[in-house]
Amino acid sequence: MSDSKRAARLLFLDSGLGGLTVLKAARAAIPEAEVLFIADDAAFPYGPKPEGELVDRLLHLVGDALTAFQPDCVVLACNTASTVALSALRATFSVPFVGTVPAIKPAAAITRSGLVSVLATPGTVAREYTHTLIDKYASGARVTLVGTPNLAELAESYASGEPVSDAAIAHEIAPCFVEEGNARTDVVVLGCTHYPLLLERLDALSPWPVSWLDPAPAIARRIANVLSERGHIVGVGAKRGSGTIAFTSGRTPLPSLLALLQAHQLSIAAKIDAKDGAAAAA
């Protein structure tokens, strides 16, 4: 049981900036929470890495950060990290973990055409976990899996203030749009937390309107429930909590990224690496 007399503490972890989309939703639901966000951009992207190597890295990062920050909940704001390492992290540490998985069940519930696409990294669409979700929750829908090799990198670059062409984005999302007879894809699951960073451009570049399903609001609700179960009263008359972000690369953000981080109430912390999470909370 955590100390409910202090503000709740949330540790977020992602391979880069994608977790900001989850943090934004969590800030709305739990504004009083103190946040440490570890952006493991030195290892970005997670998708191509061997699973054992990634699990070891996350165990080091999370273990050291738990000691330094003592969070009440850890949020794996990354689909790859969740599908690869969530079980190992839960088996190793007693703190609650909230993961991120493709929102296939709600997509199957809201589609009217019966055509749903899952836009994710190649690793996520290939994993058995994703196929199990489809078999369990989307048997009544025709699901197209789209493993886009570059969209996470494009989103990371865009959020960092670098130019990203419309043509590059349009090429990555094109396979999501399927026509079968008179039916068209009407729901696209965003299976990587980086993708909502491009949401306005995804909408503008779509050949026809679709519902882009972002799991962040559901994740935020789950975080709030976990904190409530641990004795915290969340989101009721509380002041804004502090927030810190630590980049494992130690990079200096461009002004546009600094503005984005400030909009999320995040200040820059010291550089950390996978074997020294304590510096992030210094």
Side-chain angles (χ1 to χ4, degrees):
M1 179 68 67
S2 64
D3 180 5
S4 59
K5 294 180 180 179
R6 60 162 173 79
R9 293 176 183 165
L10 297 174
L11 171 63
F12 283 75
L13 195 144
D14 183 35
S15 60
L17 299 171
L20 293 178
T21 62
V22 180
L23 175 61
K24 181 179 179 180
R27 284 286 199 197
I30 316 148
E32 71 280 5
E34 297 176 6
V35 170
L36 170 60
F37 189 116
I38 298 178
D40 189 18
D41 57 336
F44 178 84
Y46 277 171
K49 288 185 167 43
E51 293 192 3
E53 175 186 324
L54 183 55
V55 169
D56 287 345
R57 184 176 184 88
L58 291 169
L59 286 171
H60 281 299
L61 273 173
V62 171
D64 290 342
L66 288 181
T67 300
F69 186 60
Q70 298 183 348
D72 301 290
C73 179
V74 179
V75 183
L76 286 189
C78 172
N79 289 77
T80 298
S82 298
T83 56
V84 170
L86 190 56
S87 295
L89 289 165
R90 284 174 170 162
T92 304
F93 305 111
S94 60
V95 64
F97 284 81
V98 173
T100 307
V101 298
I104 291 167
K105 182 178 180 180
I110 67 173
T111 181
R112 294 187 176 184
S113 71
L115 298 181
V116 172
S117 290
V118 177
L119 183 65
T121 64
T124 295
V125 301
R127 288 193 178 92
E128 185 62 30
Y129 189 94
T130 303
H131 291 266
T132 299
L133 288 176
I134 293 171
D135 291 342
K136 186 173 182 179
Y137 296 117
S139 58
R142 160 83 156 78
V143 178
T144 299
L145 290 169
V146 179
T148 169
N150 302 310
L151 195 60
E153 287 90 339
L154 294 174
E156 184 83 3
S157 296
Y158 180 69
S160 298
E162 301 170 15
V164 174
S165 73
D166 285 348
I169 297 172
H171 176 75
E172 296 291 306
I173 67 173
C176 292
F177 294 86
V178 177
E179 294 183 89
E180 291 186 357
N182 294 324
R184 288 177 163 181
T185 300
D186 62 352
V187 180
V188 178
V189 176
L190 296 176
C192 171
T193 56
H194 276 77
Y195 299 166
L197 295 169
L198 292 168
L199 188 55
E200 289 185 2
R201 296 184 68 181
L202 297 178
D203 229 9
L205 294 167
S206 300
W208 59 77
V210 296
S211 296
W212 300 96
L213 206 53
D214 179 0
I219 298 168
R221 290 192 293 271
R222 177 57 187 151
I223 297 167
N225 288 339
V226 167
L227 294 176
S228 295
E229 291 166 1
R230 290 174 65 83
H232 288 278
I233 300 174
V234 299
V236 180
K239 64 180 181 179
R240 181 74 62 178
S242 62
T244 302
I245 185 168
F247 293 96
T248 57
S249 69
R251 66 168 159 161
T252 301
L254 294 172
S256 57
L257 178 52
L258 281 174
L260 177 64
L261 298 178
Q262 289 168 358
H264 286 83
Q265 295 88 43
L266 293 173
S267 59
I268 307 294
K271 176 185 176 181
I272 60 172
D273 60 35
K275 295 185 179 180
D276 186 16

